[in-house]
Amino acid sequence: MKPFITAIACILFSININAQSRYIIKLKDKGTNPFTIANPSQYLSQRALQRRTRYNILIDSLDLPVTPRYIDSIRLAGAVTILNSSKWLNQVTIRTTDATALSKINNFPFVVSAVAVASRTNEQEVPINKKLDAAATEAVSFTNSTSSSEGVTANVYNYGASHGQVHLHQGEFLHNHNFKGEGMQVAVLDAGFFHYLTLPTFDSIRANNQIINTWDFVANNASVDEDYFHGMTCLSTMAANIPGTFVGTSPKANFCLFRTEDIASETRIEEHNLAAGYERADSIGVDVCSVSLGYYTFDFSSQNYTYANMDGNTTMSAIASDIAAKKGMLPVIAAGNEGSNAWHYIVTPADADSVMTIGAVDTLGNVAAFSSYGPSSNGRVKPNVAATGLRAIVANTSTGQPTPGNGTSYATPNIAGLTTCLWQAFPEYNNMAILDAMQRSASKFSNPDDRIGYGIPNMKKAFSFLLKKSYSQQSSVSSCVATVQLNVKNDNTMNVVVERKLSNEVAYSIFKTIPG
């Protein structure tokens, strides 16, 4: 996948051809599986099961792991290395240069196909051009952010340089009401998290043990600190907590850091890795997935997608993203940075039906020229909404201090963090209800377009929409006595004000104030 930023660099990688013979093995079924739907605790955490229960999500065959016997047979077919498996797509990725083993695998009765996704026909060193995200290096001035916000005398955070990208959405409203992501889990699926273990940007989440899981689906180990920086800069827009300098949109959330992208190549195997990353997130019980990756061209032109493929139902990554939503998570996905080039449109998995796709604007709401155009190829509104991705504030790769960067990559975690805080306030609603509230609160909800979709979400409006949605009342009048019963959700920072207007009165007057 391509990490999304407008700055482009071309890097030449020396590839050992024989080492890159990788295949996707598609399986027919999950027969003779030792795991059962009746006992999901074998493969889903308690938190994941609680989500299933809360939102009435049934356990089904997609939840069952790939049949272990099938994986063993593939591994033992010859000189074969198992890379990753995907239970949702029911397929396994392997590396092999053993033609006999590959023939044997193709003849297994449980195998549908074995498709090469990263093999070479000769032993030349092949240069690979790949778009790379690169944060700008100019200095950033810090803005003191202690002004009043929506009835609160001062913001609980002094956001410093990141004030603009938080304030664009009235995000401080959620933070001021103590919704900062506590108890929520966010998975960042990306290309690496360079030096997140040492940069001061992440002191807070390290000290509070908010990084709860890591995995590298490219190298198949738990270490993601030494890899590419892009995931780290995306993470910073949510997790930074340097008061007066840089504060993210969900600084109290828990984070899973998954490397699914191989920056040295561009093949469909990375879409498979993304599916595996989603599955790990789901099994842990993650709420929101932030995905600043996307595909349309590959190292082998035979694998390239067309715009017609951007229908939400064709590509591996779009299918996996929709399954992630079906399982109760909310994928938040970058639209892409193709707005100024020949491709022009969103790229997959931004086309998926049930995800929140994010376009890029600046802190004044001006659309970034590079932000990919919608709609999906079958006419659905895409992007869904937009956030700051033009001169967004991210962590400098050397110092961790705030620096500007460009790309829908950074708009995406900005929204993912705020969505996490909103969902923290309303856990009784499922992912699609939260997505709906984000869209309804946005600046162009009544007139969506192909650049920023429904527009720029307003977190106070989204909060109010869900608050009203949860409100109910019953009233009756007997012998000139009115009885009113209210069911309203609030916290200790809010008062409930009851007003009344008699038949002979023109205006409402306050009847009673109920403290938070």
Side-chain angles (χ1 to χ4, degrees):
M1 290 186 180
K2 297 181 179 179
F4 288 135
I5 267 203
T6 52
I8 297 176
C10 292
I11 290 186
L12 299 182
F13 292 95
S14 294
I15 303 294
N16 182 307
I17 307 309
N18 287 335
Q20 295 299 316
S21 297
R22 291 175 287 174
Y23 299 82
I24 293 177
I25 312 301
K26 184 70 177 176
L27 305 175
K28 289 182 180 178
D29 55 40
K30 292 184 178 178
T32 64
N33 201 309
F35 302 100
T36 66
I37 292 173
N39 189 14
S41 61
Q42 294 176 301
Y43 44 85
L44 295 174
S45 70
Q46 187 60 37
R47 181 182 170 95
L49 292 173
Q50 288 170 347
R51 181 177 65 226
R52 299 291 205 283
T53 301
R54 181 184 304 123
Y55 302 125
N56 298 313
I57 300 170
L58 297 177
I59 307 296
D60 61 23
S61 61
L62 290 176
D63 293 302
L64 294 176
V66 174
T67 300
R69 183 176 67 83
Y70 294 171
I71 297 177
D72 291 340
S73 296
I74 293 169
R75 179 188 295 109
L76 297 173
V80 174
T81 299
I82 302 293
L83 300 176
N84 291 296
S85 64
S86 167
K87 61 182 182 181
W88 293 349
L89 303 177
N90 200 25
Q91 60 191 30
V92 179
T93 51
I94 66 170
R95 181 173 60 244
T96 186
T97 56
D98 185 342
T100 302
L102 195 61
S103 177
K104 187 174 182 180
I105 291 168
N106 265 310
N107 288 320
F108 285 149
F110 54 83
V111 169
V112 174
S113 62
V115 179
V117 289
S119 60
R120 309 288 185 180
T121 58
N122 57 56
E123 302 242 350
Q124 298 176 7
E125 290 188 344
V126 180
I128 293 177
N129 296 331
K130 186 158 188 159
K131 287 186 179 181
L132 303 179
D133 285 0
T137 57
E138 64 259 39
V140 179
S141 60
F142 300 150
T143 301
N144 212 353
S145 172
T146 56
S147 58
S148 63
S149 173
E150 309 298 348
V152 180
T153 56
N155 290 331
V156 296
Y157 286 124
N158 182 344
Y159 297 93
S162 57
H163 174 258
Q165 63 199 37
V166 176
H167 183 66
L168 177 66
H169 307 283
Q170 295 293 314
E172 62 268 41
F173 172 85
L174 294 176
H175 297 164
N176 291 339
H177 289 291
N178 208 33
F179 301 113
K180 307 166 190 173
E182 290 99 331
M184 300 292 287
Q185 294 185 3
V186 181
V188 186
L189 298 91
D190 214 284
F193 302 86
F194 185 72
H195 286 182
Y196 79 95
L197 288 174
T198 53
L199 289 171
T201 322
F202 308 107
D203 282 352
S204 181
I205 63 170
R206 289 196 301 265
N208 295 319
N209 298 314
Q210 290 170 242
I211 304 164
I212 60 172
N213 198 268
T214 63
W215 191 255
D216 185 336
F217 290 89
V218 179
N220 285 302
N221 60 49
S223 180
V224 296
D225 181 67
E226 69 280 3
D227 301 303
Y228 193 57
F229 68 81
H230 182 256
M232 180 277 293
T233 50
C234 289
L235 174 66
S236 71
T237 70
M238 295 182 282
N241 193 358
I242 309 175
T245 300
F246 182 15
V247 178
T249 53
S250 57
K252 296 294 185 181
N254 294 320
F255 297 95
C256 297
L257 310 182
F258 299 150
R259 180 189 177 213
T260 64
E261 171 75 358
D262 184 356
I263 203 67
S265 65
E266 191 79 329
T267 72
R268 289 190 183 181
I269 204 166
E270 292 160 297
E271 291 190 90
H272 174 95
N273 291 348
L274 180 64
Y278 277 138
E279 291 166 21
R280 187 179 181 98
D282 171 54
S283 68
I284 291 169
V286 162
D287 303 294
V288 175
C289 295
S290 181
V291 182
S292 294
L293 302 167
Y295 305 105
Y296 69 105
T297 58
F298 298 94
D299 297 338
F300 308 100
S301 59
S302 61
Q303 297 178 7
N304 289 353
Y305 291 127
T306 65
Y307 176 58
N309 297 140
M310 303 295 113
D311 61 0
N313 303 305
T314 298
T315 73
M316 276 193 290
S317 54
I319 292 169
S321 296
D322 277 340
I323 295 174
K326 177 182 178 181
K327 298 303 178 183
M329 298 187 294
L330 180 51
V332 183
I333 298 178
N337 297 335
E338 316 305 328
S340 300
N341 68 24
W343 173 271
H344 191 65
Y345 292 107
I346 60 169
V347 296
T348 199
D351 61 315
D353 299 336
S354 302
V355 308
M356 182 157 52
T357 301
I358 313 301
V361 296
D362 64 15
T363 56
L364 298 178
N366 300 308
V367 180
F370 59 76
S371 189
S372 286
Y373 285 72
S376 65
S377 64
N378 57 349
R380 286 175 291 104
V381 173
K382 290 289 177 179
N384 297 76
V385 295
T388 302
L390 177 59
R391 287 186 56 81
I393 298 302
V394 301
N396 182 277
T397 57
S398 299
T399 66
Q401 295 300 303
T403 191
N406 299 321
T408 56
S409 275
Y410 299 148
T412 296
N414 268 316
I415 283 291
L418 293 173
T419 302
T420 298
C421 296
L422 180 67
W423 206 354
Q424 176 195 356
F426 297 94
E428 64 271 27
Y429 292 113
N430 68 12
N431 53 354
M432 293 299 99
I434 297 298
L435 171 56
D436 180 60
M438 293 290 286
Q439 292 180 162
R440 287 178 179 275
S441 77
S443 57
K444 292 180 66 65
F445 177 67
S446 60
N447 186 32
D449 63 24
D450 60 2
R451 299 308 314 279
I452 59 174
Y454 294 103
I456 298 167
N458 181 304
M459 304 317 296
K460 184 184 179 185
K461 288 184 178 180
F463 186 96
S464 298
F465 171 76
L466 291 172
L467 198 63
K468 291 176 182 177
K469 188 174 180 179
S470 65
Y471 174 81
S472 65
Q473 71 177 47
Q474 293 180 321
S475 61
S476 61
V477 179
S478 178
S479 301
C480 294
V481 176
T483 301
V484 181
Q485 292 181 314
L486 308 177
N487 287 307
V488 59
K489 186 171 185 176
N490 70 325
D491 65 17
N492 58 12
T493 66
M494 304 175 184
N495 295 329
V496 176
V497 179
V498 182
E499 297 180 337
R500 72 175 183 186
K501 182 168 72 72
L502 301 179
S503 59
N504 61 342
E505 294 177 334
V506 176
Y508 283 90
S509 58
I510 294 176
F511 175 73
K512 185 175 181 63
T513 298
I514 305 170

